Amino acid sequence: MLENKSESRTSISDLGEFKLIDHLTKQIKIKHKGTIKGVGDDCAVLENHNNQILVTTDLLVEGVHFDLSYMPLKHLGYKAVMVNLSDVYAMNGKANQITVSIALSNRFTLEAVEELYEGIHLACKNYNVDLIGGDTTSSTKGILISITAIGEAKKEDVVYRSGAKPNDLLVVSGDLGAAYLGLQVLEREKQVFQVNPNAQPELDAYSYLVERQLKPEARKDIVELFKELGLKPTSMIDISDGLSSEILHLCKESKVGCNLYEDKIPMDQQVISICEEFKMDSTTIVLSGGEDYELLFTIAQGDFTKIKGNPNLTVIGYMTEQTEG
Ligand code: ADP
Ligand code: MG
């Protein structure tokens, strides 16, 4: 969805690469004292005392990871940042900086790229992250976005996928399944629109699902909550591919098994209603759906009192010996 359709359309080739970069990055104000140099030289320069450095990167390709016919560019920019920050939080770290690289076909105007960067800048503002560089090039078809996030954590605070022990509780933040169903709703509306371009989208009943798909939020707050509670998970991963795949990662890396309580999996009421409406099995959706960007982690049983009663956290199972599956 290229918004601003009726407004001005400035061709990027008229502007040139350097003016474009300048245009997209001129508003940046550095927030972290560890960011010594951001955009504008051959490298960004970062300083870090004592802490371990966390680095993660993701590549998003039009037509593979997103569809611009229902993904507004501003949302795409925001989501591309979230996907990366979520990985830093999944290590129990603090995200400080990102780099953004884009490849654009000649179908994209300056206004379109500005929209994308509006989402990127908003994400940086909301999550207190510096945009410190990137690369800009052309593509023969569509748009590609690659973001790298840089974070930090004290050595003793870093949480890997590999630390879960038998009898640890399996806990998830927020609720699951909505982002996948949001995508289904948008796909369906797109098909309706293709048949009848005058049809108005009927998204009200599914607003939460669509929002979870188009504007996910990474769980920075949960990592901060861990600090407050004095809680260190024994293992952790973020939910990008669906619950079953993430549990499998934790089990494999930790060499444990897992017992999942199906009836404990947290779901929003909209997830439950739409599954009833379309005769879908909500457990299957949650297990295989993905893109929820919630945190899935294990804690020692003795730490249960620290999370008990917290509405953001749900115990959904426990880890077992590997031989028990
Ligand atoms: P180089 O020739 O060394 O690759 P560039 O001309 O590509 O340098 O980039 C100039 C500066 O602008 C660098 O600091 C780079 O990190 C930054 N930059 C380039 N493209 C982007 C972008 N899409 N978003 C943010 N910063 C960018
Ligand atoms: Mg470059």
Side-chain angles (χ1 to χ4, degrees), residues 17-18 21 42 101 134-137:
E17 179 190 337
F18 298 127
I21 295 171
D42 298 313
S101 298
D135 201 21
T136 308
T137 187

Side-chain angles (χ1 to χ4, degrees), residues 10 12 15-29 39-40 73 98 100-104 108-122 124 130-137 143-145:
T10 314
I12 287 175
L15 198 72
E17 179 190 337
F18 298 127
K19 279 209 176 115
L20 173 66
I21 295 171
D22 195 43
H23 191 77
L24 296 175
T25 59
K26 65 185 175 207
Q27 71 177 89
I28 295 174
K29 288 195 181 64
V39 171
L73 279 159
I98 58 164
V100 176
S101 298
I102 50 174
L104 303 163
F108 291 88
T109 60
L110 173 65
E111 287 75 16
V113 186
E114 275 175 347
E115 258 185 66
L116 177 78
Y117 267 74
E118 255 182 62
I120 293 172
H121 287 309
L122 181 63
C124 287
D130 287 332
L131 172 52
I132 57 162
D135 201 21
T136 308
T137 187
I143 178 171
L144 285 84
I145 306 168

